[in-house]
Amino acid sequence: ADDGHVPAIVVGSGYGAAVSALRLGEAGVRTLVLEMGQAWTTPGPDGRVHCDMLNPDRRSMWFKDRTEAPVNGVLFLDLANRPIPRYAGVLDRVNFPDMGVYVGRGVGGGSLVNGGMAVVPDRAYFEQVLPNVDAAEMYERYFPLAQRMLRVNSIPAPYFEGSDYYQYARLSRTLAGRAGYGTRFLPNVYSFDYMAREERGEVPKSALGTEVLYGNNHGKFSLDKGYLAQAVATGNVTIAPLHRVTRVQATASGYALTVRQITAEGAPVAEKHLTCDHLFLGAGSLGSTELLLRARETGDLPDLSDEVGEGWGPNGNVMAARNNHLLEPTGFKQSAIPVLAIEDPARDVIAEIAPVPAGIETYVSLYLAITKNPNRGRFTYDAATDRAVLHWTAAQAEPAVAAARGLFDDINDANNTTYRYDVFANRQPFAADFCYHPLGGAVLGRATDDHGRVRGYRRLYVTDGALVPGSLGVNPFVTITALAERNIARVLAEDLA
Ligand code: FAD
């Protein structure tokens, strides 16, 4: 059965996908966006679209029996996680043997669940990671474009210094300073103007109401409000939520896709067969890599290169938890949006000061350290489960943990403080067995050409985090957005003119 032909199909609706959809729509190309998650527009019975972190319900996670929050609880109480009905919730944790990968599910992809930190990488490191990309063009043109499109803003210093909700960050800055470490502010796509109004009680609380991870009901300029809304407004772009692409085959002039549509409860609705001339994969590092790997290994796209599945990394992600003195509390009010990072240039670590919005004083300081771990994992295709399997071991994470430990040992020594063992599921003060920043699997210039055109095929493109070889040194979405802008500009000019 043939359910129709569209000139362009975009798989997924995260950063790479959203950029591609908008620019295709603006260029007059009729485009269909297929997203496996929901369109998060309809309020639940409580009048809210998303649930908060302290009261997770079925909206929180993608078809799980129990929530799998990164922070397990404090004082060995399982405060955060609880049983939930299986549902097309907004956050997924895809579990491989030594690595759990958090990803967003829904129209907007990771932008729905993430912390909004919008950080441009250090230029020298960017040039090292993606040597074939013209860095001057990126830093002069595409990073600024991405920042504008994503509405990146910075917290006003007086607000940061005066708000009870950032006491936890100011405390960590003081403790780091005693050990000789400096800090830097991190820009964000969460509106700090909105946050100030939350604090004054003028608008409903979101960042100041423990919302992040399972979505923000207010304040955050996610892709569904920006790029994707603009794409639909061109009149050329349609978004089909709860549509998961399971198979990609080549046709004489383009591609044929098998798509499974489900209800939000998971019941099958239809299996569809669609064709297109140009196919853009924006299903994320895990999703796009899996589609390509499956196609190569099952013989649907046998000419894909051996590089598909290679070059994966968790952006050196390590979480860490420290304990503070009774006289130096972190505050029971905590903004869910991180804005400050400790810098350790000698060890190449930035440690983002993360909230523990438990609603009570926990004396815990939590950090997301981004390190430059050079180790890389790879995916293989498992025919029995029809899934891509990530090969990444705990040993490969060790350089990341060692770098983070060096920094936090110094901070503990300078302050006579200790680590916390009750925060992560592994009962260790460091957790490198999960990540928020999956990168790679279809690396630019290897599995694709220097503009994301997949090697071995025509009119087939990777647009997302799969292009980045495992590490950026900072949070990745500004880079993914800017790279997608750069690539689609070239593709529109040369392939669709
Ligand atoms: P994604 O945004 O992952 O989008 C891929 C989309 O494709 C998803 O919506 C998915 O459901 C869909 N999809 C997958 N497979 C299929 C399929 N077969 N068919 C149809 N659809 C499919 N980054 C930052 O820069 N700053 C931060 O503060 C930050 N915080 C984060 C916090 C959390 C909790 C998480 C999970 C991530 C965070 N990140 C952050 C990372 C950032 O969100 C990701 O790097 C980014 O979203 C990746 O963009 P992408 O375009 O590669 O794909």
Side-chain angles (χ1 to χ4, degrees), residues 93 120 138 287 317 320 364 384 392:
R93 177 172 160 143
V120 174
M138 288 293 287
N317 282 187
V364 173
W392 171 269

Side-chain angles (χ1 to χ4, degrees), residues 51 54-61 63-69 78-87 214:
C51 58
L54 291 183
N55 305 288
D57 58 31
R58 69 174 190 168
R59 291 170 290 188
S60 61
M61 294 208 73
F63 296 104
K64 301 269 186 190
D65 297 313
R66 187 174 174 77
T67 60
E68 295 179 24
D78 197 358
L79 288 178
N81 286 315
R82 63 193 61 188
I84 44 164
R86 295 178 76 80
Y87 185 68
Y214 303 137

Side-chain angles (χ1 to χ4, degrees), residues 239-258:
I239 302 176
L242 294 166
H243 280 65
R244 177 169 169 251
V245 177
T246 58
R247 186 172 180 188
V248 177
Q249 293 164 278
T251 62
S253 61
Y255 296 90
L257 274 63
T258 307

